[in-house]
Amino acid sequence: MDFELSEEQKAFQSLAYKFALKEFPPFAQECDRQEKYPREIWQKACEAGLVGIAIPEEYGGPGAGWMETALITEQLSRIDLGLGLAAVAATFGAENIINYGSEEQKKTYLPLLPAGKAIFAGAYTEPNAGSDVAGTTTRAAKDGSDYVINGSKTFITNGTICDYMVALCVTNPESPKKTQRHSLIIVDANSPGITRMKIHGKMGIRASDTAEITFEDVRVPQKNLVGKEGNGFHQLMHFFDQTRIMVASQGLGLAQGALDLALKYVQERKTFGVPLAANQAIQFQLAEMATRIELARNIIYKAAWKADNGQLDPSLNAMAKFYAGETAVWVTDKALQMHGGYGYIDEYDIQRFYRDAKILEIYEGAKEIEKITIAKRLF
């Protein structure tokens, strides 16, 4: 087994970390406090080649794999999860076009992403259909050469700032199988009949845009259907099987960043005349934090390697996402505790890491759903 990264992978890793170190600090507190999407960060990330790295070369991207995606996501999230999402989530939903789109769709939409000319969103979750994806009720009815879409979505990343979205809609309501009723459809986010409302007051990742979206008689050409009609549920499950690697990498990076902050603080902070780092109880906690992070790193890198080598493993990806999310929450809790009262005020970055961490146990499949995915494959 070879655990060594290639020179190209090391270059992506270094590029992402240096970019985040330079660009994120001036915006992190402001975007968190004001719930402000960092459009300038997104534009610079595109110019640096950090957006759409999985897009094939023939469509304007570098054609990198899931390992490179994991490395970049980890390093950006290490400095700030919310700002990192401006880069890694700018393509969210467009992965379905890479997987299942027509040649015309790929040529039309994919080049826009690395060039910084468009942002995508995945319009999947509904008020009454989160983990129960097959319970989605937004309807796309045929009318002439169009679909007419009616319904609503919620918790949509990039919802108010996206240019296009890939929406999960019911197109075959008469199908006896619940999992064969849906399709994925590309929607111009500025189409008449679309209302987008920003969700305010999130606990964390406040720099990332999240919205409620309503469709009222929204007309979309039928040529915007992604893949085969009625296959939307299965296409989306494959999408989640892949992108859990990215979300797991967010947890890994955030946990590593929290450990970085803790290590710096305990060496600077003195109690009873000596640095906190001299306390063996602190050392033991730091050792356990580093161990859990390394365990998460190994399972994520294995999952990414398998995905890149034609061995996509839904169970392993679910393990990676579940474990990395829990690790992020646990590590940030320990890191904040080491900061004492100072960790409780927003002058110190660790409180933002603490708030950001919880979403990693919820979105892209709550950790309970990950456990179901794992358990089903044990028998």
Side-chain angles (χ1 to χ4, degrees):
M1 299 176 70
D2 185 1
F3 288 91
E4 187 66 28
L5 297 175
S6 69
E7 292 305 314
E8 183 179 19
Q9 289 167 343
K10 290 177 182 178
F12 273 119
Q13 186 182 51
S14 176
L15 172 65
Y17 185 55
K18 290 178 180 178
F19 176 86
L21 275 178
K22 177 183 177 183
E23 302 294 347
F24 286 7
F27 293 89
Q29 282 193 345
E30 176 190 359
C31 289
D32 177 64
R33 291 169 177 169
Q34 298 181 13
E35 302 181 346
K36 178 182 175 183
Y37 178 78
R39 189 168 287 273
E40 183 177 345
I41 293 290
W42 162 68
Q43 198 69 55
K44 288 184 177 181
C46 290
E47 294 169 0
L50 294 171
V51 175
I53 66 160
I55 292 174
E57 292 181 6
E58 58 265 39
Y59 307 114
W66 285 104
M67 180 60 81
E68 289 78 14
T69 298
L71 293 169
I72 287 174
T73 303
E74 175 188 353
Q75 296 306 318
L76 296 179
S77 304
R78 184 177 174 183
I79 305 302
D80 188 86
L81 182 60
L83 296 180
L85 283 167
V88 300
T91 63
F92 194 70
E95 293 85 356
N96 293 295
I97 299 176
I98 298 174
N99 291 337
Y100 301 106
S102 67
E103 188 62 23
E104 180 184 356
Q105 289 170 349
K106 292 176 181 178
K107 289 180 178 179
T108 300
Y109 300 105
L110 296 182
L112 301 176
L113 293 162
K117 295 181 179 179
I119 295 172
F120 257 74
Y124 313 132
T125 304
E126 297 187 359
N128 294 311
S131 297
D132 179 18
V133 176
T136 297
T137 60
T138 294
R139 178 75 188 276
K142 288 181 178 179
D143 182 29
S145 60
D146 293 339
Y147 285 112
V148 179
I149 303 177
N150 284 280
S152 61
K153 303 288 182 179
T154 193
F155 299 127
I156 306 306
T157 300
N158 298 335
T160 70
I161 53 94
C162 68
D163 301 285
Y164 302 96
M165 63 186 83
V166 174
L168 182 68
C169 304
V170 175
T171 54
N172 302 71
E174 71 288 346
S175 175
K177 291 188 176 181
K178 195 176 181 181
T179 57
Q180 295 180 355
R181 297 173 184 172
H182 301 82
S183 300
L184 293 174
I185 300 171
I186 302 168
V187 181
D188 185 326
N190 295 305
S191 299
I194 294 179
T195 301
R196 302 189 276 176
M197 295 176 291
K198 185 179 179 69
I199 295 175
H200 292 280
K202 292 186 301 181
M203 176 180 174
I205 57 167
R206 292 157 66 93
S208 178
D209 182 75
T210 310
E212 296 178 355
I213 299 176
T214 302
F215 301 92
E216 295 182 79
D217 294 327
V218 177
R219 302 190 75 90
V220 179
Q222 287 183 31
K223 69 177 183 178
N224 285 20
L225 173 71
V226 179
K228 185 178 179 182
E229 192 173 78
N231 280 4
F233 174 83
H234 297 290
Q235 292 168 347
L236 193 56
M237 291 303 98
H238 178 64
F239 164 83
F240 286 137
D241 284 338
Q242 292 178 315
T243 56
R244 280 173 181 151
I245 296 171
M246 181 186 73
V247 179
S249 301
Q250 293 171 22
L252 170 60
L254 185 141
Q256 182 63 61
L259 177 59
D260 294 342
L261 292 174
L263 286 168
K264 182 175 185 292
Y265 184 80
V266 300
Q267 292 177 81
E268 295 174 348
R269 173 70 169 169
K270 290 185 177 181
T271 58
F272 305 103
V274 296
L276 272 176
N279 187 307
Q280 192 177 65
I282 294 293
Q283 293 174 8
F284 282 2
Q285 285 203 352
L286 291 167
E288 188 171 355
M289 291 158 72
T291 300
R292 294 195 187 198
I293 290 169
E294 190 60 24
L295 289 171
R297 180 172 289 114
N298 275 270
I299 194 172
I300 292 167
Y301 286 11
K302 180 180 179 181
W305 182 90
K306 292 190 74 172
D308 286 339
N309 285 274
Q311 303 173 40
L312 184 71
D313 187 336
S315 180
L316 186 64
N317 296 354
M319 290 177 183
K321 197 266 183 185
F322 151 58
Y323 185 73
E326 281 204 341
T327 296
V329 171
W330 188 87
V331 169
T332 53
D333 178 69
K334 299 302 180 186
L336 190 147
Q337 189 69 25
M338 290 178 188
H339 281 71
Y342 291 106
Y344 204 68
I345 56 177
D346 76 349
E347 181 183 346
Y348 286 76
D349 290 337
I350 191 60
Q351 59 79 34
R352 189 175 66 253
F353 278 60
Y354 183 86
R355 288 186 287 106
D356 287 348
K358 188 59 187 176
I359 193 62
L360 297 164
E361 293 188 315
I362 299 172
Y363 72 0
E364 199 91 4
K367 65 179 181 179
E368 291 79 11
I369 298 300
E370 310 303 343
K371 292 177 183 178
I372 291 173
T373 299
I374 297 163
K376 283 181 177 179
R377 289 166 171 80
L378 294 178
F379 299 97

